[in-house]
């Protein structure tokens, strides 16, 4: 009888220990790219809600009451930073969240540019927030996420570190692969047009020149003179390919392509993942799809 009691006690202790270590953090991420990164690193130890949904624009997003409620109940709140989410500070304040705020872009060497769009920052130096479009930077995001999750859930540190380290290694391999893919494109053909300036990190990392009618925020409205100047530049530099973006209205860039004598090379996913049944439902899939689509478009395929 005593042996049976001891065995039962051991089984109970085993399951109790298992349940104690199987903590699930509640996390909120500002947009889909970041939410996917958090999920990839945290796995079963984190439940993630993305405020901006699939194919949504993080620049112009308008938070809802349910977003404030999600933040109020979150253990962790992940933001990209670098000025991407102009609305997030107000939302955090109004939600009264006690969750720790994690800026995933910490440690990134930020790129800057002079704002040429009409508005309060015209003529000023601004920061480009789209740092994840370099896979090497994506690995920095993942490392920051890993540390934050381990700090919040030390009981599951070994498991989180293992999945996080695998993901970081995958992103570093992705970075090396992208360099090889773009190296196969003649330098003279590495000029493309996109809807807005979301690819300066990608361009700098892999050697592509990007032009766009809109600035770093899709909220900016280019003037007729700016659009005309871009069309003249396309003709002068013989840019052959224009790409639309999944989260922006394609009409302006389509007009630029038509008047500049270029063709549409496909759709890119610069700052919003697709729905699950579309080709860019994770950060890795979106980055891979973007590189393959850019390469094919630049080569005229």
């Amino acid at each position: 009888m005593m042996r049976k009691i001891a065995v039962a006690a051991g089984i109970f202790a085993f399951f109790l220990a298992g349940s104690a270590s199987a903590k699930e953090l509640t996390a909120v991420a500002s947009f889909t790219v970041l939410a996917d990164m958090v999920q990839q690193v945290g796995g079963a130890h984190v439940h993630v809600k993305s405020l901006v949904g699939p194919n949504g624009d993080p620049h112009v997003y308008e938070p809802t009451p349910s977003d404030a409620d999600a933040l109020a109940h979150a253990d962790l709140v992940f933001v990209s930073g670098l000025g991407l989410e102009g609305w997030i500070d107000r939302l955090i304040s109004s939600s009264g969240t006690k969750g720790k705020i994690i800026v995933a872009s910490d440690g990134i060497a930020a790129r800057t540019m002079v704002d040429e769009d009409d508005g309060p920052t015209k003529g000023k130096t601004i920061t480009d927030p789209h740092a994840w479009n370099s896979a090497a930077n994506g690995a920095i995001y993942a490392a920051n996420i890993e540390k934050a999750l381990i700090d919040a859930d030390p009981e599951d540190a070994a498991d989180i570190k293992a999945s996080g380290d695998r993901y970081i290694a995958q992103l570093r391999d992705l970075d090396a692969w992208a360099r090889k893919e773009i190296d196969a494109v003649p330098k003279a053909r590495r000029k493309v047009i996109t809807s807005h300036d979301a690819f300066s990190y990608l361009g700098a990392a892999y050697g592509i020149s990007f032009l766009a009618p809109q600035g770093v925020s899709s909220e900016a409205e280019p003037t007729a003179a700016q659009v005309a100047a871009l069309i003249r530049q396309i003709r002068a530099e013989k840019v052959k390919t224009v790409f639309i973006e999944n989260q922006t209205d394609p009409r302006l860039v389509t007009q630029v392509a038509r008047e500049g004598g270029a063709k549409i090379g496909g759709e890119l996913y610069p700052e919003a993942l697709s729905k699950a049944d579309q080709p860019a439902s994770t950060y890795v899939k979106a980055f891979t799809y973007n590189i393959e689509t850019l390469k094919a478009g630049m080569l005229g395929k």
Side-chain angles (χ1 to χ4, degrees), residues 5 28 86 129 167 175 177 179 205 218 226 249 259 277:
I5 292 173
V28 171
Y167 187 56
D175 177 62
W177 166 82
R179 294 178 192 280
S218 56
Q226 288 172 323
D249 189 326
E259 297 186 21
D277 59 348

Side-chain angles (χ1 to χ4, degrees), residues 17 19 22 26 54 61 63 76 100 128 130 139 147-148 200 203 281 289:
S19 64
T26 299
Y61 182 70
L76 297 167
K100 186 173 182 180
D128 184 347
H130 307 92
K147 182 180 184 305
S200 78
S281 57
Y289 184 88

Side-chain angles (χ1 to χ4, degrees), residues 88-105:
I88 195 69
D89 289 342
R90 296 188 301 275
L91 178 61
I92 289 172
S93 178
S94 65
S95 73
T97 183
K98 303 298 183 184
K100 186 173 182 180
I101 311 302
I102 309 300
V103 181
S105 62

Side-chain angles (χ1 to χ4, degrees), residues 178-187 190 295 298-299:
R179 294 178 192 280
K180 290 182 180 178
E181 289 296 298
I182 302 304
D183 280 347
V185 179
K187 290 184 179 181
R190 297 185 204 170
K295 179 183 178 182
M298 290 185 292
L299 290 175

Side-chain angles (χ1 to χ4, degrees), residues 194-224:
T194 56
S195 297
H196 79 296
D197 276 325
F199 288 106
S200 78
Y201 292 91
L202 189 151
Y206 310 115
I208 303 172
S209 176
F210 285 91
L211 302 171
Q214 292 176 289
V216 296
S217 173
S218 56
E219 190 173 12
E221 290 291 339
T223 65

Side-chain angles (χ1 to χ4, degrees), residues 7 28 42 47-48 50 53 81 88 121 127 144-145 150 191 278 291:
V7 170
V28 171
H47 173 76
V48 191
S50 178
I88 195 69
T121 60
T127 299
N144 289 333
I145 292 166
I150 288 173
K191 295 179 182 179
Q278 294 174 318
I291 292 294

Side-chain angles (χ1 to χ4, degrees), residues 7-301:
V7 170
I11 293 172
F12 176 76
F14 172 81
F15 282 108
L16 183 63
S19 64
S21 65
K23 180 177 180 180
E24 184 182 63
L25 296 166
T26 299
V28 171
S30 56
F31 71 125
T32 51
V33 172
L34 190 54
D36 177 63
M37 290 180 168
V38 175
Q39 193 67 71
Q40 296 297 331
V41 174
H45 301 293
V46 61
H47 173 76
V48 191
K49 171 181 171 62
S50 178
L51 297 178
V52 184
N55 299 312
D57 189 334
H59 294 290
V60 299
Y61 182 70
E62 296 183 3
T64 66
S66 65
D67 292 335
D69 184 65
L71 261 68
H73 295 89
D75 299 309
L76 297 167
V77 179
F78 290 90
V79 301
S80 183
L82 301 177
L84 176 71
E85 311 98 332
W87 42 269
I88 195 69
D89 289 342
R90 296 188 301 275
L91 178 61
I92 289 172
S93 178
S94 65
S95 73
T97 183
K98 303 298 183 184
K100 186 173 182 180
I101 311 302
I102 309 300
V103 181
S105 62
D106 277 354
I108 295 290
R111 293 179 58 80
T112 60
M113 61 183 67
V114 176
D115 188 5
E116 298 179 354
D117 293 310
D118 288 339
T121 60
K122 184 174 182 178
K124 296 181 180 180
T125 299
I126 57 174
T127 299
D128 184 347
H130 307 92
W132 61 87
N133 281 322
S134 151
N137 284 345
I140 295 175
Y141 276 65
N144 289 333
I145 292 166
E146 180 186 293
K147 182 180 184 305
L149 293 177
I150 288 173
D151 288 347
D153 182 12
E155 296 88 352
D156 295 310
D159 199 18
I160 294 170
K161 180 171 174 53
S163 62
D165 287 355
R166 283 194 300 271
Y167 187 56
I168 291 166
Q170 181 183 18
L171 298 185
R172 288 173 178 163
D173 289 344
L174 197 63
D175 177 62
W177 166 82
R179 294 178 192 280
K180 290 182 180 178
E181 289 296 298
I182 302 304
D183 280 347
V185 179
K187 290 184 179 181
R189 304 197 69 164
R190 297 185 204 170
K191 295 179 182 179
V192 298
I193 307 294
T194 56
S195 297
H196 79 296
D197 276 325
F199 288 106
S200 78
Y201 292 91
L202 189 151
Y206 310 115
I208 303 172
S209 176
F210 285 91
L211 302 171
Q214 292 176 289
V216 296
S217 173
S218 56
E219 190 173 12
E221 290 291 339
T223 65
Q226 288 172 323
V227 173
L230 179 60
I231 291 170
R232 288 195 299 271
Q233 186 176 3
I234 292 171
R235 292 170 177 166
E237 297 185 20
K238 299 181 180 179
V239 178
K240 300 297 184 184
T241 313
V242 173
F243 294 90
I244 60 175
E245 298 171 6
N246 69 314
Q247 85 293 353
T248 59
D249 189 326
R251 287 177 293 181
L252 176 59
V253 76
T254 301
Q255 173 196 344
V256 168
R258 182 175 61 250
E259 297 186 21
K263 66 177 183 178
I264 301 297
E267 184 176 52
L268 301 176
Y269 295 83
E271 57 192 18
L273 300 183
S274 68
K275 295 180 180 179
D277 59 348
Q278 294 174 318
S281 57
T282 69
Y283 171 64
V284 168
K285 288 181 179 179
F287 184 87
T288 302
Y289 184 88
N290 286 344
I291 292 294
E292 291 176 342
T293 302
L294 284 164
K295 179 183 178 182
M298 290 185 292
L299 290 175
K301 295 183 180 179

